[in-house]
Amino acid sequence: MSFTLEQLRGFVAVAEEGNFGRAAARLRITQPPLSRQVQKLERALDVQLLVRTPRAVLLTPAGEAFLPEARRILGLAEAAPITARNAARGTAGTLRIGFTAISALTVLGTWIRTISQHLPDVELTLTEMVTRDQIDALLAGDIHVGLARGVPASEVLNTRLVHVESLILACPRGHKLSELGRPPTLGDIGRHDVVTYTPIAARYLQELVISAFHGAGVEPHYVQQVSQVHSLLALVDAGVGVGLVPRSAARLRLPNLAFTEIAGLSPDIVETHCVWRAGHDNPALDSLLRLTEVNS
């Protein structure tokens, strides 16, 4: 079975006009070629689509069933070149984005709004994953771009700084550290049980915390290790200990949580980068990087 778009257009025109003469005029052709187009279509389908009567041309049951399909095929044919051009320009296509839980509170929302406003025809797939898993997914081609921490640029991966923030202290409400009347120092914090991060899944934050305490000459008592900031907050909320978290984590409110500044700690030490494969071939990603560069 094979038919052409011209045959489909001819059939649709006759079906809608109910007359070969008017359909031919609409298509700006003469009536004999139009009749041959419809006949060839009927032979290709091996069904009769139209019946001529003295007053009009009527659809057979097969013609009535085929008409919406013919319109759909023509619509797809008309849209396909536009879709291809938009994809080439980066205004259509797909974007698979990996993100950490905390980047969802900072950068990701801005990205989603930017894509919705400027790239509405781009289909988004969002996947939460820790930095290590994002790198694996980027190298495997499972995601196009990630929002991650502590990823050095290389010949394989490009990175761009997109957000910086400070570390603050999360502690249970009524905890001694929240009632000092001043921001606690790292020395103050080191006298209490500290929940920290795992050295593999959360290596970046773990190293930041260790470096901060080491720089202050403090050796805290670590009681638990977790891979996600929201998991650390849940343990602090339960009274397991206190913990250092990115400032944006203060948006995650739990009933027994309090947050406070940390005296003497350098500001803006927590960095979030967007990461993507060098030499990628996704125009939609180029568009996103261009649109978000001004905010980096």
Side-chain angles (χ1 to χ4, degrees), residues 53-287:
T53 71
R55 300 184 121 183
V57 178
L58 304 178
L59 287 168
T60 66
E64 290 180 355
F66 186 65
L67 180 58
E69 293 302 312
R71 288 172 173 150
R72 184 178 65 84
I73 294 169
L74 290 172
L76 290 172
E78 291 173 0
I82 298 173
T83 300
R85 287 193 292 270
N86 287 342
R89 288 194 295 263
T91 57
T94 61
L95 271 176
R96 297 189 296 274
I97 300 176
F99 64 95
T100 62
I102 291 301
S103 69
L105 299 175
T106 54
V107 182
L108 184 63
T110 301
W111 276 22
I112 291 173
R113 288 188 291 271
T114 296
I115 293 168
S116 177
Q117 180 179 355
H118 298 283
L119 306 171
D121 294 324
V122 170
E123 180 181 351
L124 275 182
T125 299
L126 306 172
T127 305
E128 181 186 348
M129 53 180 72
V130 297
T131 293
R132 180 187 59 178
D133 292 341
Q134 287 189 44
I135 301 308
D136 291 341
L138 281 166
L139 296 177
D142 294 331
I143 62 174
H144 296 119
V145 62
L147 291 170
R149 303 188 190 277
V151 182
S154 67
E155 293 183 357
V156 179
L157 297 174
N158 293 328
T159 69
R160 178 195 295 167
L161 181 65
V162 292
H163 184 73
V164 294
E165 58 186 315
S166 303
L167 284 173
I168 60 173
L169 180 69
C171 57
R173 291 189 184 278
H175 193 277
K176 292 179 180 179
L177 291 172
S178 66
E179 298 183 343
L180 293 175
R182 58 172 173 80
T185 65
L186 289 168
D188 297 326
I189 297 169
R191 299 187 185 98
H192 300 269
D193 291 343
V194 176
V195 181
T196 190
Y197 304 94
T198 60
I200 298 178
R203 176 185 58 84
Y204 177 79
L205 287 175
Q206 191 237 19
E207 291 180 353
L208 272 186
V209 170
I210 289 176
S211 296
F213 279 117
H214 184 266
V218 178
E219 295 186 9
H221 178 226
Y222 297 117
V223 290
Q224 295 292 336
Q225 293 182 336
V226 296
S227 62
Q228 297 277 17
V229 172
H230 57 263
S231 299
L232 185 148
L233 294 178
L235 295 186
V236 172
D237 183 73
V240 174
V242 300
L244 277 61
V245 297
R247 182 181 302 278
S248 55
R251 302 178 188 179
L252 300 173
R253 295 292 178 179
L254 292 173
N256 195 38
L257 271 184
F259 297 93
T260 181
E261 301 290 332
I262 301 171
L265 187 62
S266 298
D268 296 337
I269 60 174
V270 185
E271 298 182 346
T272 299
H273 288 80
C274 69
V275 190
W276 67 97
R277 276 195 308 179
H280 74 90
D281 58 356
N282 187 343
L285 175 55
D286 286 330
S287 294

Side-chain angles (χ1 to χ4, degrees), residues 9-24:
R9 291 190 186 97
F11 163 68
V12 169
V14 174
E16 291 177 348
E17 297 292 341
N19 181 278
F20 271 90
R22 290 195 298 270

